[in-house]
Amino acid sequence: MTLALILCLTATVIPVFFSRISAAPTWLSLQALTLLWITLFDDDGFSLHVILAGLEVLLVRALLVPYLLHRALHKNRQARISLMPSNLFAWGVAITLIILAFKFGDGARGDVRALTLGVAAATAMIAFLILATNHEPSAQLVAVLFMENALALFESLLPEPWPLPVHLAVSGVYILTVAVGSWLVREDAAASRDEPSRQVP
């Protein structure tokens, strides 16, 4: 479990510091695979609910949503932009937020729950930072999807998992988010391509 949480944090932090928007689908898939690991190998053992939740993570978060995002970013000029501005100020803020997120998790004591809470909080903080520093629609969409994964990770801390209808509703919102966001990204890219031609007399 600890290794899965560390890998989840790594798949969240690395793209923010060193990756372009075009690589976001890959990192989202890696985050989802770590969520699958956490879901299937939780201390509660296997059950029908765990298996169905694992299938939802695999099919929706690891495969479908990254595929839809990849299609939206294909041949999009925004995809070549860094996910977060590459400057010392933004990096300093990001590192500070990650440290504060893990301080927030100290209340759960030094165990797996504290680490889980720290990773979930760090993922949410990084998503907010991307929303604040990158105004490109594609980057904003990636930040929202990061936040959705943080919410899924937070669920593992609950004493009782959400009922299956709630899981289905959350999955529906997740798919709807990437569908609408992808459409907006494509529309924005099309408008950007048409803008120079409109300026020509």
Side-chain angles (χ1 to χ4, degrees):
M1 182 73 78
T2 301
L3 179 58
L5 290 168
I6 292 172
L7 291 175
C8 185
L9 181 64
T10 302
T12 303
V13 171
I14 288 180
V16 173
F17 287 98
F18 306 109
S19 183
R20 295 180 179 181
I21 297 173
S22 58
T26 301
W27 294 109
L28 283 168
S29 290
L30 291 175
Q31 288 179 16
L33 291 175
T34 61
L35 288 174
L36 178 63
W37 184 350
I38 293 167
T39 300
L40 294 180
F41 297 101
D42 195 9
D43 294 336
D44 295 336
F46 285 99
S47 66
L48 179 61
H49 186 281
V50 168
I51 293 172
L52 292 177
L55 282 175
E56 181 268 334
V57 171
L58 177 63
L59 297 177
V60 174
R61 295 178 185 271
L63 297 176
L64 178 62
V65 167
Y67 171 73
L68 294 175
L69 182 60
H70 176 74
R71 284 189 59 187
L73 296 176
H74 185 60
K75 295 182 180 179
N76 190 327
R77 285 181 290 183
Q78 294 179 8
R80 296 192 293 268
I81 300 173
S82 296
L83 196 55
M84 192 179 71
S86 298
N87 59 64
L88 290 177
F89 177 75
W91 284 23
V93 171
I95 292 170
T96 302
L97 288 176
I98 293 170
I99 293 171
L100 288 176
F102 278 94
K103 287 292 183 183
F104 177 70
D106 282 348
R109 305 299 178 191
D111 56 9
V112 174
R113 289 180 60 83
L115 182 59
T116 304
L117 187 58
V119 173
T123 304
M125 291 286 192
I126 286 174
F128 280 119
L129 182 62
I130 295 172
L131 288 172
T133 58
N134 197 330
H135 68 279
E136 297 293 345
S138 53
Q140 302 256 311
L141 175 59
V142 171
V144 172
L145 296 177
F146 273 30
M147 205 174 301
E148 292 273 2
N149 284 341
L151 179 63
L153 182 59
F154 181 76
E155 185 199 354
S156 66
L157 291 171
L158 300 178
E160 294 292 333
W162 291 330
L164 286 177
V166 176
H167 268 295
L168 293 176
V170 171
S171 296
V173 170
Y174 194 61
I175 295 171
L176 184 63
T177 299
V178 75
V180 173
S182 298
W183 175 75
L184 292 174
V185 167
R186 285 193 293 267
E187 288 294 311
D188 184 73
S192 299
R193 286 194 298 268
D194 295 341
E195 190 172 332
S197 60
R198 292 174 186 166
Q199 296 176 353
V200 176

